[in-house]
Amino acid sequence: MASSDVVRQMVRMRSMFSRFGVFCPFCGCVKFGTVGDKNARPLALSGHVGFDSLPDQLVNKSTSQGFCFNILCIGETGIGKSTLMDTLFNTNFENFESSHFEPKVKLRAQTYQHIVDYIDTQFESYLQEELKIKRSLHNYHDSRIHACLYFIAPSGHSLKSLDLVTMKKLDSKVNIIPVIAKADTISKSELHKFKIKIMSELVSNGVQIYQFPIDDETVAKINTAMNVSSDAHAEINYKKQQEKGFICAVFTFNNPKGSSSVRCGREYGGVENENHCDFVKLREMLICVNMEDLREQTHTRHYELYRRCKLEEMGFKDTDPECKPVSLQQTYEAKRQEFLGELQRREEEMRQTFVQRVKEKEAELKDAERELQGKFEQLKRLHADEKSKLEEKRKSLEEEMSAFSKRKAATELLQAQSFNASTNNKKDKDRKK
Ligand code: GDP
């Protein structure tokens, strides 16, 4: 950060402390409150207290320890994200260009979900660090997103529905600052109309983009000017927006290296020329004036919302149904009891289900047994019937056989008798001869 920026932020902090800080000579602490706070005891200072050096201490601490400020750039490929970042920090970020030649094109719905998940993951990491027994937040690498530069394609017509949906999904999670990319590719009048159109679309769709704070008098003037217009667009009806709680600024950016020197009938100078684009304003607002507010908003508004939802999801509450405050221990105990109750209920449910199943199975087995017994009895009866029938048949056959034997014996007797008779006759005849 440039030294002038540090000084500017320092002055801002100093004015803040001098407005809100009250020093207590008894305990040596500084009490903060509004000037009209009835609880604050105004005391005449006997000498130099020195707490006005607090901003210097904070600046020294920040410069020696360092701090994290993360910017997320969202926009289609080739819209100028890397160029803006390189220009903003006057450096060359290590970019590993990824090939855009996918073998197949897959259309995915809800592409913003990846961004939402990424932002949530950073919040989650911070929350996990905060919930640790041994926390090391002072040297924690904060990867939460403090500012999100949303790049809008310079179509000149209106916002794409994907942009609107994405911004709507992100506005409760991150400080969105819209930037019209490659502003040199459309004429100044078109750009002016485009800005107004974008802002009215954001307002009508209830997209809450980052509002530059105007409550601090040291930056109120510059932020108001920026909120009203980054291009003096009076037609946007700024007052109406303020009433609705929307104050927004859409920045434009055109890269002097990326663009040709003459475009759309006008000549482009350096990126620092405020007539050509809002680069200087964006840099001022992002780094010099509102960096601390962006960090603070991220922590106190977006992270707090994430944390609250997450803890509520886990069943933690500040108050019970009768609106009485509940301590963490009480919540833990209540949750434990609830869990044990649930466990017991499930155990009982499982036991009941098991008994029911056993009963059903037993009944099923008994039915099967009865059925088998019936079949067995029936087969037994059939067998007995068959047996008696066969017995009868055997008896009749035996009778037939004995009758046959008798008839056979009689026949044989008759045959023998007739043979004897014929033999005797023959003998008689022979004798007579
Ligand atoms: P990214 O994929 O979004 O990171 O896009 P890059 O920053 O790599 O830019 C893609 C191309 O657009 C490069 O050739 C840049 O020179 C060019 N470019 C970047 N900014 C501008 C701009 O403001 N105006 C014009 N005309 N071209 C730009």
Side-chain angles (χ1 to χ4, degrees):
M1 208 191 306
S3 57
S4 61
D5 303 338
V6 174
V7 169
R8 207 189 297 241
Q9 298 250 14
M10 211 176 79
V11 169
R12 192 183 150 202
M13 278 191 255
R14 181 167 285 141
S15 116
M16 208 165 78
F17 287 123
S18 56
R19 279 189 299 126
F20 297 116
V22 176
F23 179 73
C24 173
F26 302 110
C27 59
C29 70
V30 179
K31 286 180 180 158
F32 294 101
T34 51
V35 178
D37 191 351
K38 284 174 190 160
N39 297 329
R41 209 151 42 108
L43 294 170
L45 296 175
S46 51
H48 178 68
V49 177
F51 71 80
D52 59 346
S53 71
L54 202 55
D56 303 299
Q57 292 170 34
L58 291 174
V59 169
N60 288 342
K61 200 174 142 197
S62 290
T63 43
S64 64
Q65 285 185 353
F67 59 90
C68 294
F69 182 70
N70 301 311
I71 302 174
L72 174 73
C73 294
I74 301 178
E76 55 203 57
T77 309
I79 204 163
K81 301 182 290 293
S82 319
T83 313
L84 175 60
M85 282 299 110
D86 289 348
T87 317
L88 201 59
F89 296 101
N90 196 22
T91 181
N92 248 326
F93 285 104
E94 282 175 20
N95 285 330
F96 300 106
E97 276 195 20
S98 54
S99 96
H100 301 300
F101 299 100
E102 292 279 336
K104 279 181 191 169
V105 178
K106 292 179 211 152
L107 290 178
R108 279 179 298 182
Q110 301 181 342
T111 39
Y112 53 78
Q113 198 52 45
H114 298 281
I115 307 168
V116 172
D117 289 347
Y118 176 77
I119 295 168
D120 280 348
T121 310
Q122 312 318 313
F123 283 147
E124 184 60 29
S125 311
Y126 193 85
L127 181 65
Q128 288 308 320
E129 188 61 36
E130 247 188 7
L131 294 177
K132 274 184 188 170
I133 307 279
K134 267 186 162 184
R135 302 187 293 181
S136 52
L137 287 171
H138 62 284
N139 58 5
Y140 173 77
H141 178 75
D142 189 2
S143 56
R144 292 171 300 173
I145 306 300
H146 301 108
C148 164
L149 298 185
Y150 198 97
F151 286 70
I152 299 164
S155 65
H157 309 299
S158 61
L159 273 175
K160 290 180 191 164
S161 28
L162 179 65
D163 288 336
L164 267 177
V165 173
T166 309
M167 280 200 244
K168 188 79 201 128
K169 289 278 166 196
L170 295 178
D171 69 356
S172 59
K173 294 181 179 291
V174 74
N175 299 313
I176 303 175
I177 301 174
V179 177
I180 301 173
K182 298 190 180 176
D184 56 307
T185 54
I186 51 174
S187 71
K188 203 163 182 178
S189 60
E190 275 176 330
L191 186 65
H192 179 68
K193 281 182 199 152
F194 190 37
K195 261 191 188 182
I196 293 169
K197 179 91 181 133
I198 290 171
M199 287 163 77
S200 67
E201 274 183 345
L202 290 175
V203 172
S204 56
N205 286 285
V207 179
Q208 292 267 3
I209 60 170
Y210 176 65
Q211 298 177 15
F212 296 113
I214 47 169
D215 49 352
D216 182 354
E217 67 194 29
T218 52
V219 289
K221 206 172 153 198
I222 180 167
N223 277 350
T224 309
M226 212 51 66
N227 281 329
V228 173
S229 152
S230 54
D231 195 23
H233 36 256
E235 303 98 306
I236 192 64
N237 205 344
Y238 172 64
K239 273 209 170 135
K240 239 186 193 173
Q241 282 185 43
Q242 267 187 320
E243 279 160 20
K244 285 187 186 177
F246 284 101
I247 310 168
C248 46
V250 179
F251 290 93
T252 59
F253 176 65
N254 61 271
N255 167 38
K257 296 164 203 158
S259 58
S260 68
S261 58
V262 181
R263 265 177 207 273
C264 306
R266 69 192 176 106
E267 195 143 322
Y268 284 88
V271 76
E272 303 280 339
N273 189 334
E274 290 190 39
N275 292 326
H276 299 154
C277 71
D278 301 324
F279 174 74
V280 177
K281 288 175 192 163
L282 178 63
R283 188 180 58 193
E284 278 262 308
M285 301 314 283
L286 199 63
I287 300 168
C288 312
V289 184
N290 295 307
M291 186 188 260
E292 195 48 39
D293 185 70
L294 283 160
R295 278 162 47 83
E296 205 178 290
Q297 289 282 327
T298 304
H299 188 74
T300 56
R301 194 166 141 231
H302 302 304
Y303 170 67
E304 207 53 36
L305 181 66
Y306 177 83
R307 181 183 163 278
R308 200 184 74 205
C309 294
K310 199 76 191 174
L311 293 182
E312 276 173 0
E313 219 174 80
M314 286 158 78
F316 290 101
K317 279 179 197 130
D318 289 334
T319 53
D320 62 7
E322 287 142 29
C323 291
K324 284 184 192 154
V326 185
S327 72
L328 195 70
Q329 179 70 24
Q330 283 169 322
T331 312
Y332 170 75
E333 276 303 324
K335 206 74 202 150
R336 193 164 168 271
Q337 288 306 326
E338 194 186 305
F339 175 73
L340 287 176
E342 177 70 16
L343 199 72
Q344 270 175 1
R345 194 185 61 76
R346 284 215 182 157
E347 253 178 32
E348 185 58 28
E349 222 173 73
M350 278 170 79
R351 207 179 59 77
Q352 295 283 352
T353 316
F354 178 71
V355 169
Q356 183 67 23
R357 285 238 178 117
V358 167
K359 274 184 188 165
E360 277 171 15
K361 208 74 202 167
E362 262 177 15
E364 258 176 46
L365 285 171
K366 270 186 186 160
D367 281 352
E369 195 184 339
R370 257 200 302 276
E371 203 178 310
L372 279 173
Q373 190 67 29
K375 274 186 188 168
F376 175 70
E377 292 294 334
Q378 198 185 356
L379 283 172
K380 226 164 101 178
R381 272 197 304 276
L382 278 174
H383 176 70
D385 286 353
E386 288 284 308
K387 203 175 162 186
S388 65
K389 276 180 194 165
L390 280 173
E391 199 60 35
E392 275 172 22
K393 271 190 185 171
R394 194 177 63 82
K395 271 182 191 164
S396 69
L397 272 174
E398 275 175 2
E399 280 169 8
E400 273 178 30
M401 272 168 68
S402 69
F404 176 74
S405 311
K406 277 179 193 166
R407 274 205 299 274
K408 192 182 164 193
T411 314
E412 277 171 357
L413 190 68
L414 274 173
Q415 272 179 347
Q417 281 173 352
S418 64
F419 180 72
N420 285 341
S422 65
T423 316
N424 288 338
N425 280 345
K426 201 177 172 186
K427 275 179 185 172
D428 286 344
K429 273 180 189 173
D430 286 344
R431 244 183 274 134
K432 278 176 190 171
K433 279 178 187 176

